[in-house]
Amino acid sequence: MTTALAVQPLRVEPLSREAFAPFGEVIEASDAVKHFTINAGNTERYHDLANIEPGADGRVIVSIFRGQPRALPFRVEMMERHPLASQAFIPMSGKPYLVVVAPAGEAPTAAQLQVFLARGDQGVNYATGVWHHPLLALGGVCDFLVVDRAGPGQNCDEITLDTVGLIDSAVASS
């Protein structure tokens, strides 16, 4: 006999620097970050947007992840974390996507999950140890530039949630 898991509705909020601060940094060109003109006035540099941590004995690597679109409503059944280093995702396809996070530390419950709707021009840098769901592309295949760690040690922990988090399609589109 299979027991059905309880479901926790999840509220989606717009991604902002302030709301995401407990989990890492938002990577975006905005007036809220340090920026200045370079290249003889031809380029605006948005400077030092994320604290990239490769961890002990690690090195920073750059990859491209191609995320398949997720259908809504979406059931959040698992989470992962990288205990040795940070991990940054910068969208390259200009499409919005969802970010599901929970604080670093013990395995989270569905009630601890926070869901953000990121614009196609906003990236995120998950701080070391922050729980997050893998890519949640919306509206089509999306490429992401990913800056993370290569090196010794196990750097990905995955857990299955006891209660499923549910992202409702009507909520995510607002």
Side-chain angles (χ1 to χ4, degrees), residues 7-9 12 26 47 52 57 74 81 109-111 114 136 143 161 169:
V7 175
Q8 167 78 42
V12 179
V26 173
H47 185 70
I52 304 299
D57 299 321
F74 182 79
R81 69 175 173 184
T109 65
Q114 286 189 252
L136 291 171
D143 286 348
L161 296 170
S169 59

Side-chain angles (χ1 to χ4, degrees), residues 93-157:
S93 300
K95 296 180 178 122
Y97 61 101
L98 293 173
V99 175
V100 180
V101 290
E106 296 298 316
T109 65
Q112 292 175 292
L113 303 182
Q114 286 189 252
V115 184
F116 297 97
L117 178 60
R119 298 186 319 259
D121 65 346
Q122 292 177 304
V124 294
N125 183 46
Y126 299 118
T128 302
V130 164
W131 291 98
H132 60 278
H133 193 277
L135 281 178
L136 291 171
L138 299 173
V141 173
C142 294
D143 286 348
F144 291 82
L145 184 73
V146 178
V147 181
D148 63 350
R149 174 190 196 273
Q154 172 62 27
N155 192 33
C156 187
D157 298 330

Side-chain angles (χ1 to χ4, degrees), residues 28-99:
E28 67 181 330
S30 80
D31 287 339
V33 300
K34 182 177 180 180
H35 59 99
F36 46 89
T37 304
I38 61 172
N39 298 60
N42 193 47
T43 303
E44 190 71 10
R45 177 178 175 152
Y46 293 85
H47 185 70
D48 197 13
L49 299 177
N51 185 25
I52 304 299
E53 291 286 337
D57 299 321
R59 65 182 183 84
V60 175
I61 61 170
V62 176
S63 306
I64 294 177
F65 288 16
R66 181 161 288 155
Q68 300 301 309
R70 305 295 184 119
L72 297 174
F74 182 79
R75 294 169 57 93
V76 178
E77 298 178 358
M78 62 83 65
M79 296 289 281
E80 67 179 32
R81 69 175 173 184
H82 303 282
L84 303 179
S86 63
Q87 189 178 45
F89 286 80
I90 300 102
M92 298 171 59
S93 300
K95 296 180 178 122
Y97 61 101
L98 293 173
V99 175

